[in-house]
Amino acid sequence: MHEGGVTIARGKPEDRAASHPAIPLGPGEEALLVDHPLSPAAPQEPESVFAADEVIAPGRALTVTDFSPPSLGAGERIMRFAYAMGLTSSVLKPFTKTVKPRLLATVSNPLPGDPVAGTALRAGHFLLLGVKAPIADIEFSGPRLSPPFERMVHGFAWLADLEASAPRQQVTGVAERVLGAWLAANPRPDATPAWDVANVGHRMLGWLVHAPLILSGDKATRAKVLAAMSTTARWLDRHVTRADDRLGQVAGWCGIIAAGLLLDGGKPRRLYGEMGLIRALGELIGDDGGVLSRSPLGQIEAIELLVRLKACYAATRRDAPAQIDVILNLLVPPLLAMLHGDGGLSSWQGAGAIPAGRIEALVATSGVRTRPLRDARQWGYQRVSASKSVLIMDAAPPPLARHTRVGCASTLAFEFSHGAQRIIVNCGGAASAGGLIPLRLSQGLRATAAHSTLAIDDFNSTAVLINGKLGSGVSEVELDRRSLAAESGPGATRIESSHDGYVSRYGLTHRRILILRDDGSELRGEDLLVPAARKGKRGTIQVALRFHLAPHIDIAPGEDGQGVTLSLPDGSLWQFRSGRDPVTIEDSLWADGNGRPQGTRQLVVQAKIPRSGETFSWLLKKMR
């Protein structure tokens, strides 16, 4: 039995590996292995399962999804077109009396903030990623802040934290003081980070969703804040398409629609924003609902934006366009596919291990009830759930530079957990650099070596550039996923994938085969370096397979040097064995869900091999 295989990227499938060599056992370790379809002592699977010459049909790496804007009557279409051409609401409604800016409704915040961070604000500090920054020392228009602080301060994400920390009457004074300082430092739009389109879109939404916090002062203060809202909305109308990326543009369009819903005279702006938002969302996500940055953080941000926007519609007793619900139903399943057994997020494209509570709250608020997307081929991640075990693999090319914010060279890396215990992880946390994780570590956390995969001579499979961008490297990834049936005992899921990231430099293709038994007790792996040309190059190279371990795992090396026993916090024992080379133990780092670095360790299998290629086999098995 098998499930149809496809290629994620274009290109001819290469010759498959001819064999799956046995992993030698150390003294007294015979009981660690049981019969398995791929064990030489066990019967091989039927020929139909491993058709060596089977050609896999080509697929698309990431296909832009097309959505149509909401259908309108002739009059509304003309109004939307005229507003898009620059005509103001007052021109489009000439017989409507001009009034001063005012708020039309109060929004119920759907996504509560962090009360601890809100308490720190009341004490005079911004608190983000474990770092306190005195509000009095923040130069709101001065030198660039670290990216996480920049997004929080200029996007006014801190308003949700403040609201969650105490009753409204106790926090409005703090909100008004911080907003007043920000407005004084940014009297008009300019080229500073405060006027980055993504920050402006988040700020507009934040101001409108949390308006009671900033509009509770005297008449003069209210007029000043409402005027700032009006100015910001007009700026977004003209600059929203100049965002750095599609996600930033989506944030800008959400801000425009919210202003159209909640500020006077906003119908033309709302119609204009709805058209732009649906189009931008269609350009942001692929066919299976994954954002083109391939970042779980981007996926979360997109969902949060739409959830907050729907709350603005609800405040005005207006139904959101049906397309928004359709898109939310597309966005949630891929995010669920990135969760481990503990309900927390796995670490990909700069993300840390965001805890289960935040994910559960977001999904519940979205109103989407669905299962994880098991096989997100277009987004590029494979998920295998086998009893209590979860395997998540990056099986696609990295995102294009124009889509990335914190791009990582993680192709063919994987994470593995059993129950609530993570075992094999990636370092993660590059997007949190600037908090407790120093900015200087950001490049290293984006490197191939920071992920559980193979690297040659410590070179990245895809070039890691500054400012979160990626360069040349992996352009094609082939993927074959199958279900294996066993004559006796549990079956297994087999994922075979390869990438061309080392072809230009070394002439070698990295092929990885992962086989997870259906009972979740055994993960077999094989990493092959296969010559891309008929004749391999001469010379030798240094190869390292890295398996980063989750924190709090005790390690006991085996006597022969090729095995390591892992003692998990829940008391279970697992063993890792290398098929040909010694296993060494090195220090590593893992970023938790709050962006805090935690010291941990990694298992490393290193060897100097000929440039003609080599095969590395390994086993991770739960001990009975």
Side-chain angles (χ1 to χ4, degrees):
M1 299 173 62
H2 72 276
E3 297 168 14
V6 300
T7 56
I8 293 295
R10 295 164 294 278
K12 294 183 179 180
E14 298 178 13
D15 294 338
R16 300 185 185 278
S19 64
H20 300 271
I23 298 175
L25 297 177
E29 294 177 331
E30 292 84 357
L32 291 178
L33 289 177
V34 297
D35 288 342
H36 186 275
L38 291 184
S39 177
Q44 294 295 314
E45 61 279 358
E47 187 177 7
S48 61
V49 173
F50 276 105
D53 57 351
E54 180 181 356
V55 177
I56 303 172
R60 295 172 295 179
L62 283 172
T63 307
V64 174
T65 308
D66 182 28
F67 296 102
S68 300
S71 58
L72 303 174
E76 289 182 328
R77 287 199 302 270
I78 294 172
M79 182 182 294
R80 183 177 66 189
F81 176 77
Y83 194 85
M85 296 301 294
L87 296 181
T88 63
S89 297
S90 59
V91 174
L92 293 173
K93 295 183 176 181
F95 302 108
T96 302
K97 181 179 179 181
T98 302
V99 297
K100 294 180 180 179
R102 62 171 182 164
L103 197 67
L104 300 180
T106 299
V107 181
S108 176
N109 177 30
L111 298 171
D114 179 7
V116 175
T119 301
L121 277 164
R122 294 169 62 200
H125 298 84
F126 286 116
L127 175 62
L128 182 66
L129 301 173
V131 174
K132 282 186 177 181
I135 297 172
D137 293 346
I138 297 292
E139 296 185 34
F140 293 107
S141 63
R144 293 189 71 102
L145 304 168
S146 66
F149 269 94
E150 190 175 280
R151 289 191 292 271
M152 180 191 68
V153 171
H154 296 308
F156 278 70
W158 53 268
L159 282 172
D161 299 332
L162 191 61
E163 184 180 76
S165 67
R168 183 185 303 169
Q169 60 269 22
Q170 297 181 23
V171 299
T172 54
V174 177
E176 289 169 357
R177 284 195 298 273
V178 178
L179 175 59
W182 189 93
L183 291 175
N186 296 277
R188 63 186 65 84
D190 53 28
T192 64
W195 294 95
D196 172 85
V197 171
N199 290 336
V200 178
H202 281 284
R203 181 164 69 245
M204 190 80 247
L205 263 179
W207 283 353
L208 292 169
V209 171
H210 302 284
L213 296 187
I214 57 178
L215 292 175
S216 298
D218 56 38
K219 188 175 181 180
T221 301
R222 285 174 56 87
K224 184 177 181 179
V225 174
L226 287 167
M229 289 181 180
S230 183
T231 299
T232 300
R234 289 196 300 270
W235 185 92
L236 272 176
D237 290 342
R238 299 190 301 271
H239 298 86
V240 63
T241 57
R242 301 180 188 178
D244 293 336
D245 56 30
R246 295 300 183 192
L247 187 54
Q249 195 175 120
V250 167
W253 286 117
C254 287
I256 287 173
I257 296 173
L261 288 166
L262 296 166
L263 296 179
D264 256 335
K267 182 177 180 179
R269 175 177 284 139
R270 173 178 62 80
L271 297 175
Y272 166 66
E274 289 172 346
M275 177 183 68
L277 175 64
I278 303 304
R279 184 175 298 163
L281 286 167
E283 295 170 348
L284 174 71
I285 67 176
D287 282 350
D288 55 16
V291 296
L292 298 189
S293 67
R294 303 195 58 227
S295 167
L297 293 179
Q299 199 84 1
I300 288 172
E301 183 177 340
I303 296 171
E304 288 178 339
L305 284 166
L306 296 184
V307 165
R308 294 165 75 198
L309 181 61
K310 286 189 66 177
C312 295
Y313 277 101
T316 59
R317 299 181 181 179
R318 185 183 297 275
D319 292 331
Q323 291 90 336
I324 290 180
D325 285 323
V326 170
I327 294 167
L328 277 173
N329 277 278
L330 280 173
L331 287 169
V332 171
L335 177 64
L336 296 179
M338 310 306 292
L339 305 183
H340 279 293
D342 60 4
L345 190 68
S346 51
S347 302
W348 302 101
Q349 296 299 320
I354 293 175
R358 179 180 168 189
I359 303 294
E360 290 172 358
L362 177 62
V363 173
T365 307
S366 74
V368 177
R369 300 292 179 266
T370 184
R371 296 178 181 272
L373 190 62
R374 181 182 65 95
D375 185 1
R377 292 176 189 255
Q378 301 300 325
W379 201 25
Y381 297 102
Q382 293 291 310
R383 174 189 176 90
V384 182
S385 181
S387 185
K388 295 181 179 181
S389 294
V390 174
L391 169 70
I392 302 171
M393 182 183 185
D394 181 354
L400 297 176
R402 66 177 179 270
H403 299 306
T404 60
R405 290 183 178 178
V406 193
C408 296
S410 59
T411 311
L412 300 197
F414 76 96
E415 290 200 354
F416 181 74
S417 64
H418 183 77
Q421 305 295 320
R422 299 185 187 215
I423 304 176
I424 306 296
V425 297
N426 300 311
C427 293
S432 301
L436 290 178
I437 297 177
L439 278 171
R440 65 179 180 274
L441 289 183
S442 176
Q443 293 288 93
L445 293 174
R446 297 168 54 210
T448 300
H451 298 81
S452 293
T453 187
L454 175 148
I456 301 178
D457 289 338
D458 274 338
F459 278 101
N460 295 318
S461 58
T462 297
V464 174
L465 308 179
I466 61 173
N467 297 327
K469 302 303 180 183
L470 295 172
S472 60
V474 178
S475 62
E476 296 181 353
V477 173
E478 296 176 1
L479 171 68
D480 180 38
R481 176 171 176 155
R482 300 169 184 264
S483 293
L484 307 180
E487 291 185 1
S488 62
T493 298
R494 179 184 188 272
I495 298 177
E496 178 178 352
S497 191
S498 66
H499 75 71
D500 61 349
Y502 292 118
V503 168
S504 61
R505 183 184 292 270
Y506 297 103
L508 293 169
T509 297
H510 175 206
R511 185 179 297 277
R512 167 164 275 185
I513 300 170
L514 299 178
I515 302 168
L516 178 61
R517 285 175 52 140
D518 289 345
D519 63 4
S521 65
E522 179 181 293
L523 175 64
R524 284 179 174 260
E526 190 171 9
D527 287 277
L528 306 93
L529 290 172
V530 183
R534 291 187 177 180
K535 186 177 181 181
K537 295 182 179 181
R538 295 182 178 180
T540 60
I541 54 176
Q542 186 73 28
V543 174
L545 275 76
R546 299 183 182 276
F547 303 86
H548 297 271
L549 299 177
H552 313 304
I553 293 179
D554 293 328
I555 303 174
E559 294 181 1
D560 63 353
Q562 290 182 221
V564 175
T565 300
L566 308 177
S567 177
L568 274 55
D570 65 356
S572 63
L573 296 177
W574 290 71
Q575 182 163 82
F576 178 90
R577 288 202 59 81
S578 168
R580 47 156 286 168
D581 298 291
V583 181
T584 59
I585 300 170
E586 299 181 5
D587 290 335
S588 183
L589 177 150
W590 180 74
D592 68 11
N594 296 312
R596 296 173 300 196
Q598 296 193 27
T600 184
R601 286 169 289 183
Q602 58 180 308
L603 307 180
V604 184
V605 178
Q606 298 189 76
K608 184 167 284 190
I609 66 168
R611 296 185 69 162
S612 57
E614 190 54 274
T615 299
F616 302 85
S617 55
W618 49 269
L619 169 72
L620 179 64
K621 179 174 176 59
K622 190 176 189 295
M623 301 174 67
R624 297 186 184 277

